[in-house]
Structure formats: C-alpha cells, structure tokens
Amino acid sequence: MPTAAPASPQQTERVLVLDFGSQYAQLIARRVREQNVYCEIVRHDLAAARIRELAPRGIILSGGPASVYEAGAPRCDAELFRLGIPVLGICYGMQLACDALGGSVRGAPSREYGRAECEILEADTLFAGVASPAEVWMSHGDRVDAVAAGFVPLARTPACPLAAVRHRDLPVFGLQFHPEVTHTPAGGAILANFLRRACGCSGAWRLDDFARTTIDRLRATIGDDRVICGLSGGVDSAVVAALLSRAIGDRLSCILVDNGLLRRHEATAVIEEFTTHFRTDLHVVRAEDRFLDVLAGVTEPQEKRRRIGRAFVECFTEEAAKIAGARFLAQGTLYPDVIESGAAADGPAATIKLHHNVGGLPDDLKFELVEPLRDLFKDEVRMLGLQLGLPERIVWRHPFPGPGLAVRCLGEVTKARLDRLRDADAIVLEELETAGLMRKVAQAFAVLLPVQSVGVMGDARTYDDVLAVRAVETEDFMTADWSHLPHELLARMSTRIINEVRGINRVVYDISSKPPATIEWE
C-alpha cells in the first residue's frame, strides 16, 4: 500500500515568480534555480493570504507587455508588499511596486530597448560587488517618473533616472532592466545578491537531492503497484523511466510504439538502453505498416497529426491492456508544459496550449498519472539524466516532434520518402557531432520538401527531391534564431547528402528566425 510521501526539499527554500505576461518569466525562474534556489512561477493575482501560506523566501514580480496606468492592467494583491517577504520587481514589476507604494509611472520621453550603461549610485544589497558602470539590457517604453518618500534610488542610465530602487523600511527592490538575460553580464550576481542578502537563501537546492527525494516519493506513492511508461525515444520519457526503474525496479513496464516515423536507429537505441542497462519490462509495438496505412495519401499537416494521434492511442491502449496490475501511467511532463497548460494550482491564469504528453490517451484507461519531472526545466532534465546514468546520446538528443518524421516529410508520407529523409537527417546530425556543435545548436534536422528540381549527376539529367536543413539556437524554444553554421560544415552536409542519399539533388539552408517562422515546418 502507498504510504505518505516525504516532504520535498524545495519547499524549505522557495522563491515565487509572479507572472505578468513576460516572455522572460520562465527565464527568471531558470536563473534563480541556477543559484541553487528552488523557484516556481505563479499567477500574478495570487492572494497575499495564499502567498503567506506558501511561505516563500522571496517574491519576484516579472515584466509584462502592459502599462501600469492603463485600465485593466494586471496587478498583484497590494498586501503582499506588507508580508515582510522580500520583493524584487523587474521592469513592469518595478513599475507596479512603485505605483502600489505611492509613486507614479508614465510613458518615457525616450524609450530604451537594448543595451544601456547603468551607473550604480549605491552599492546596496542588490549591487554588492558589481562594478559601475554596468552593462544592462533594457526593454521598456514606460518608466517610474517619481517614487514615494520611502524609496532610495540605486542606479540610473542616461534615459532612465530611476533604473533601480529600494525601499528604506520595506524589503522591496526594483530593477527597470532585465537581470535574467545574458545581455546583462552582472545579472546573475544581482539576482544572487537578492536571493542571498535580501532573502537569506543558502542555495542548498541541488538536482541530486531532487533525484533522491523524487525516488523516495515515487516509492511511497506507488507502493506495490505497477507503472506503465510510454517511451518515445526522447530525453524526457527516458529520464522518467530511469527514475522509476531506480524507484520500483521490475514493477515498471515501458511501452515503445515503433511507428516507423522515428529517426535512424532511435528505436534500437531505446530498446538497448532499457533492456541491457535498466532491465525494464519493455513492450515494443511494431506498427510501421499500421501508421503508413493511415497516412496514405494524406498531405495536410493537421490531418497527419490527428491520424498519428489516433493510431498511437490505439496501439498504446491495446498494449497497456496486456499488462496486468498496472495502476499508474507515467508521463514526461515538464515544468514549461505545466505552466503553458495552466495545470498548476497556483500557476499563471492563462492557458497557452493544451498538453498531452503521451498523445492524448483516453480517460477510460483509468490510470493515475505520475509526473516526476513536472517541476523541472529541460536543461535540468538533461542534467538529471546524466546523474541517473543515461548515455549522452540519449540525454543530448535534440527535440523531436510527437508525430515524428511525418511532419518533416512535407507532402505525402511513404516508406521510400521516410527512408530518404531518415538517411539525410542522420548525416546532418553526424556532421554536427563531428564539428563539436551538437550542444551549441538547440535543434537541428532535415526536412524533405514536396518539390523536385533539375540537376546533373555525371552526364545524366536528374529531377529529384529538394531537402532543407534547419538548425536553431534558443534557450526556451519560445523564440529562436537560425544557427550561423560554418559554410564549410554546410558544404560537407550538402555534399554527403547528395552523394549518399539517392533521390535528393539539391540542399537548401533555412535562415528564418522564430518569430515569424516556427522551428518545425509543419
């Protein structure tokens, strides 16, 4: 029988980020965690009484796109400034704090976007050890025009006289610039000063502590029951399976649906890892023909996704029914998924997307969900995977869409076109690995286009497929810039693909950023 789960260590030193719609809210949380302090993103209108119950060591008010003085602008409960809990307002968060405590905010006569030189007026708590002037990153059209008598200016820029402030009597601080972005070189030191000097955090949170505590919690929650985990070949599901293997051993059953849409050797690598290393009860569903049949003649991307989703549910459900005594279903849900789906009890109010980690399994499966990674970001999951002994080839595998190569094979999906794409994609990744750029590039892949072009090979005219190569650099996958790969590397990729993969005679490189383009083509 399950027993009471032990307390999580992150509850003892926790910082809350109140999200006002900033594109950097997740980045703030990650930067706090880099200081070994656990951090959660919560809705901006969380009641002060609820915040008191959560007992955080500190509160950070994120930036946001609104203007404080506009009707309907998002606000926080003003009582949180009286809780005695240190508060740091960033950009919109600073403006909101100053406005709530008697100051005024107006549109700036000169907007600041990009790098700025910040003169430190007082090496107070936030700026201890930070050299002046400091390079900072600004992104605002409004500014604090005047502060109440209790505030002290800490820093200024040529366009912003109040670039940083603190309150004399209340533990309230404000930064008009963004310390969480890499364009503010001293940003980590400033955040560390807030966390340690203002909040009194010791920085004791560690991923190895998380692993040990999570394994203990899984054992307590699951008891003597069995868990089913869907393996996709990606790092998230692999780390979930590794955690569960450590926690409950042979009472873990994994299901891999080999749908014929995976990258080259991907199914083989997963099977080898989870039969020889972790020795799990692995069920492999060979379903390539089934998926090709449902995709026959389909070219519309959303219809591809729908058909793949339905076929996956059918395969998973049929296999799960063969596993006796299974009570729990494990998913590789990550913290960004929880935030964006609005699934956290105190999470941001807006639902950005619906998240179905294992393909939208039906309710009548009647499993209880186990989501051991729901408090972690992607980079933390990778580090945890290494700690658990997963090989680097799985831990550092680039993200892969749920529908697999079907949405990178534009137009009709056939076995021949998939094999062509699979071989070309493998060359792209092999060349990146050889060049030592696999970790610098966040995501790289090949896209087979439904376009043919004229070429010449030997003395013969060809009319073959065009292949696009996509490589991006990003921290959060919300925005991304195309990777400026060396021309020599692109040339090697192109030469190898055209020479080694029959049916492709032209390779192009995608130089679109997100936005306006997306990372995937479909």
Side-chain angles (χ1 to χ4, degrees):
M1 290 294 292
T3 59
S8 173
Q10 56 257 37
Q11 305 302 317
T12 59
E13 274 196 4
R14 173 168 50 184
V15 169
L16 302 180
V17 175
L18 271 60
D19 182 12
F20 291 90
S22 170
Q23 61 177 319
Y24 298 136
Q26 290 191 29
L27 190 54
I28 295 171
R30 287 181 59 194
R31 293 290 179 256
V32 172
R33 292 190 186 187
E34 287 171 5
Q35 299 295 332
N36 295 316
V37 175
Y38 184 71
C39 186
E40 291 180 2
I41 300 174
V42 298
R43 51 191 301 152
H44 66 270
D45 56 354
L46 201 62
R50 175 59 180 154
I51 292 175
R52 186 185 292 108
E53 290 175 4
L54 294 171
R57 288 291 186 92
I59 300 167
I60 298 178
L61 310 180
S62 83
S67 293
V68 169
Y69 48 79
E70 290 178 344
R75 305 191 72 85
C76 60
D77 186 340
E79 286 303 309
L80 72 83
F81 298 109
R82 309 287 179 181
L83 294 175
I85 300 170
V87 177
L88 173 63
I90 296 176
C91 197
Y92 180 87
M94 168 179 163
Q95 296 165 13
L96 185 64
C98 291
D99 179 75
L101 293 172
S104 64
V105 178
R106 292 190 175 87
S110 176
R111 297 183 298 174
E112 277 188 301
Y113 293 100
R115 290 180 174 85
E117 273 207 348
C118 184
E119 178 189 356
I120 298 171
L121 303 175
E122 182 179 315
D124 186 75
T125 306
L126 293 184
F127 294 103
V130 178
S132 179
E135 186 177 283
V136 299
W137 185 262
M138 291 286 193
S139 181
H140 65 100
D142 297 335
R143 73 181 191 191
V144 176
D145 188 61
V147 290
F151 278 95
V152 177
L154 299 180
R156 66 187 176 196
T157 70
C160 185
L162 295 169
V165 298
R166 69 170 174 85
H167 198 280
R168 287 194 185 92
D169 305 315
L170 301 173
V172 177
F173 303 83
L175 298 172
Q176 185 56 67
F177 58 86
H178 290 272
E180 70 273 21
V181 300
T182 55
H183 303 302
T184 301
I190 293 168
L191 285 173
N193 282 336
F194 173 71
L195 296 169
R196 286 172 172 74
R197 293 171 177 266
C199 303
C201 294
S202 64
W205 185 71
R206 297 287 190 280
L207 263 182
D208 52 356
D209 295 331
F210 175 89
R212 285 194 298 270
T213 304
T214 300
I215 289 169
D216 289 342
R217 290 172 66 86
L218 286 170
R219 286 176 182 148
T221 300
I222 295 165
D224 297 326
D225 290 303
R226 178 167 290 277
V227 179
I228 293 176
C229 177
L231 288 175
S232 65
V235 62
D236 304 336
S237 63
V239 172
V240 168
L243 274 171
L244 285 164
S245 178
R246 294 283 182 88
I248 61 172
D250 60 6
R251 285 180 289 110
L252 168 66
S253 294
C254 293
I255 297 176
L256 171 66
V257 178
D258 185 0
N259 55 15
L261 306 174
L262 301 177
R263 288 170 285 202
R264 193 166 75 180
H265 303 320
E266 196 158 54
T268 302
V270 172
I271 293 167
E272 178 183 349
E273 188 61 27
F274 287 93
T275 53
T276 61
H277 186 173
F278 288 100
R279 300 182 186 278
T280 59
D281 174 35
L282 179 61
H283 298 242
V284 181
V285 181
R286 306 289 184 181
E288 179 181 43
D289 291 342
R290 185 171 183 171
F291 279 79
L292 287 174
D293 286 345
V294 301
L295 289 169
V298 179
T299 60
E300 204 277 319
Q302 288 303 95
E303 183 60 23
K304 286 182 184 178
R305 291 176 182 273
R306 280 190 288 269
R307 293 191 180 206
I308 291 167
R310 282 198 297 269
F312 176 86
V313 168
E314 291 168 2
C315 290
F316 195 96
T317 304
E318 290 166 9
E319 194 62 30
K322 301 174 185 177
I323 301 172
R327 176 183 168 190
F328 295 92
L329 174 67
Q331 291 193 156
T333 307
L334 304 190
Y335 194 45
D337 301 325
V338 175
I339 296 166
E340 293 178 354
S341 66
D346 294 313
T351 296
I352 300 171
K353 68 178 181 181
L354 294 176
H355 178 75
H356 300 291
N357 202 285
V358 292
L361 295 174
D363 293 336
D364 58 9
L365 280 180
K366 294 184 172 60
F367 289 120
E368 294 182 34
L369 277 184
V370 175
E371 298 173 307
L373 306 181
R374 63 182 284 116
D375 291 332
L376 299 185
F377 289 100
K378 190 76 166 189
D379 54 340
E380 294 169 332
V381 172
R382 293 191 196 279
M383 289 187 285
L384 182 60
L386 292 173
Q387 289 180 11
L388 293 169
L390 285 172
E392 291 198 1
R393 70 178 183 275
I394 289 180
V395 170
W396 293 103
R397 183 173 288 145
H398 285 186
F400 193 58
L405 294 179
V407 291
R408 292 179 180 173
C409 184
L410 276 59
E412 187 174 6
V413 179
T414 65
K415 175 92 165 74
R417 297 192 77 221
L418 284 170
D419 287 342
R420 196 172 302 153
L421 173 57
R422 211 177 333 260
D423 290 343
D425 185 73
I427 291 171
V428 170
L429 298 179
E430 285 168 10
E431 288 297 332
L432 267 181
E433 185 71 50
T434 301
L437 295 175
M438 199 67 175
R439 297 191 193 180
K440 181 177 184 291
V441 173
Q443 190 169 357
F445 54 91
V447 182
L448 189 64
L449 307 184
V451 175
Q452 287 74 46
S453 70
V454 174
V456 177
M457 289 187 178
D459 295 323
R461 175 184 182 276
T462 62
Y463 193 61
D464 287 333
D465 288 342
V466 177
L467 184 102
V469 175
R470 178 75 156 144
V472 299
E473 296 176 19
T474 178
E475 288 194 344
D476 55 12
F477 292 89
M478 304 293 287
T479 61
D481 192 15
W482 60 277
S483 295
H484 294 244
L485 298 180
H487 291 177
E488 296 81 4
L489 172 58
L490 292 173
R492 286 197 301 274
M493 288 179 182
S494 177
T495 300
R496 282 194 61 195
I497 290 168
I498 292 172
N499 286 346
E500 298 176 28
V501 184
R502 295 182 66 86
I504 296 174
N505 68 358
R506 191 178 299 270
V507 176
V508 298
Y509 188 54
D510 184 346
I511 57 170
S512 309
S513 296
K514 175 188 178 182
T518 55
I519 295 176
E520 296 287 345
W521 278 47
E522 284 192 345

